[in-house]
Amino acid sequence: MAILITGGAGFIGSHTAVELLNAGKEIVIVDNLSNSKAEAVRRIAQITGKEPKFYQADLLDRPAMEQIFNENNIEAVVHFAGLKAVGESVYKPLEYYHNNITGTLVLCDVMRSHGCKKIVFSSSATVYGMNNPVPFKEGMPTSATNPYGYTKVMIEQILTDLHTADPEWSVVLLRYFNPIGAHKSGLLGEDPNGIPNNLLPYISQVAIGKLECLSIFGNDYETHDGTGVRDYIHVVDLALGHLKALSYAETHTGVEAVNLGTGVGYSVLDVVHSFEKACGKPINYHIAPRRAGDIAKNYADPAKARELFGWEAQLGLDEMCQDLWNFTVKNPQGL
Ligand code: NAD
Ligand code: UD1
């Protein structure tokens, strides 16, 4: 019996693949490499000493997905595959809806036809929208402000409806906060295309000299130093959360939305200072206007993951920055 990891060559999927292999699980990876490289799969093998089965295929390609299920005994799916750039989604809504939603529909239909009814889905804290007070709790109303966010809200609904229609399904909706960091070995990490949009990849490229200066988007928020506050979580902690979610799905049917965050909020300046410690040099930054769509504070109430899964994040901000810096130094051009 194997676990299928869609998007398993990507940032979070590759770290989860490592942890599943280390836990002795059999895995199959499917990824179209639209935002990743086959090198990530080689590195998963290098770290674990185990060769994962890899299909370079698109979730939209139904015959290819059928073939994967025909050739493997898939018991559960961890579904990471999707496009994730918020800004790009505003300019390419059809591409985002098609890839993320149609891809999920094809996947679930093929799962259903093979009697595989356990899915752990990569949702996002973005589903808490602009109007909920922090800390975000799973029972709060969901909403979105951009096509990327809507794909998460809609896929959560689709998977919930699937369980309503067939209560044998087991659905875990993992709402990630801000995953950062890299594998301790320095072999795996985030490898964004072009100029990064997210804070940590941007800072690391300033530190390594590829970018000149970080723009801090606003210093007049109602936070301890005026800059935006987020719940950064080490990608290895996040990966381990997936193992717990899979164990839960093995023994329970139903639908559960679960936050994967630390419950601690750090400001942009906190992150800059932690990264400066990690890399041993100052980060060049300036204060820029607020970025449209940003909220002041975003952090999780992590209690449900603790209660349901017995999972809690272990690694702090300094370790996240050290591991990212180690990865950056070892892979200045990415993977
Ligand atoms: P990523 O881009 O590194 O990984 C996604 C992988 O999916 C990529 O390797 C890409 O090639 C693949 N993919 C995309 N569309 C595909 C398709 N149609 N068929 C096959 N493969 C396809 O992103 P990530 O950071 O690892 O994120 C994984 C998931 O977690 C995504 O669904 C993302 O929306 C979600 N998420 C990420 C974050 C974050 O900050 N990284 C936060 C919240 C939620
Ligand atoms: C962003 C997305 C969110 C998505 C998440 C993971 C937006 C509005 N939100 O979250 O939907 O789930 O990425 O992909 O795009 N910052 C700077 N300078 C930078 C970059 C960021 O000051 O160059 C600040 C931001 O204003 C924010 C913090 O750093 O306060 C974190 O930003 P980012 O890493 O982009 O993550 P989110 O905005 O939390």
Side-chain angles (χ1 to χ4, degrees), residues 84-87 123-127 130 145-146 148-149 152 176-180 190 196-203 213-218 221 227-232 266-268 271 286 288-298:
K84 63 162 185 177
V86 172
S123 188
S124 165
T126 200
V127 303
M130 306 281 286
T145 52
N146 55 71
Y148 166 74
K152 296 300 181 195
Y176 311 153
F177 281 70
N178 288 51
I180 63 167
E190 197 170 3
N197 297 307
N198 296 118
L199 181 63
L200 268 297
Y202 204 105
I203 292 182
C213 182
L214 169 73
S215 298
I216 294 185
F217 299 140
Y221 285 109
T227 65
V229 163
R230 296 291 182 272
D231 184 338
Y232 297 95
Y266 287 104
S267 73
V268 178
V271 174
H286 73 107
R290 290 180 178 195
R291 180 173 68 177
D294 274 353
I295 54 177
K297 294 183 193 172
N298 167 343

Side-chain angles (χ1 to χ4, degrees), residues 34 58-60 79-85 89 92-108 121-122 147-152 154-155 158:
S34 60
D58 199 304
L59 260 59
L60 297 167
H79 179 28
F80 296 99
L83 298 174
K84 63 162 185 177
S89 79
K92 297 184 172 174
L94 297 183
E95 286 82 350
Y96 270 69
Y97 287 121
H98 186 49
N99 189 76
N100 292 5
I101 293 185
T102 316
T104 302
L105 293 177
V106 171
L107 171 69
C108 290
F121 171 62
S122 300
Y148 166 74
Y150 277 113
T151 69
K152 296 300 181 195
M154 289 179 193
I155 294 169
I158 289 166

Side-chain angles (χ1 to χ4, degrees), residues 124-189:
S124 165
T126 200
V127 303
Y128 290 109
M130 306 281 286
N131 299 318
N132 285 308
V134 286
F136 293 152
K137 298 183 204 298
E138 290 84 351
M140 288 175 168
T142 60
S143 64
T145 52
N146 55 71
Y148 166 74
Y150 277 113
T151 69
K152 296 300 181 195
V153 172
M154 289 179 193
I155 294 169
E156 287 201 355
Q157 186 63 49
I158 289 166
L159 296 176
T160 303
D161 293 344
L162 196 51
H163 170 264
T164 305
D166 178 355
E168 285 181 5
W169 276 80
S170 180
V171 174
V172 184
L173 310 168
L174 294 178
R175 295 180 178 161
Y176 311 153
F177 281 70
N178 288 51
I180 63 167
H183 194 262
K184 282 263 170 274
S185 61
L187 288 168
L188 282 178

Side-chain angles (χ1 to χ4, degrees), residues 233-242 260 262 311-316:
I233 175 168
H234 197 296
V235 64
V236 173
D237 269 334
L238 193 74
L240 291 169
H242 291 74
L260 292 185
T262 65
W311 172 91
E312 216 169 355
Q314 302 295 324
L315 306 171

Side-chain angles (χ1 to χ4, degrees), residues 75-77 111 116-120 168-171 249-251:
E75 60 176 314
V77 177
M111 286 175 70
C116 174
K117 298 181 182 180
K118 298 183 200 322
I119 185 165
V120 174
E168 285 181 5
W169 276 80
S170 180
V171 174
E250 266 168 28
T251 48

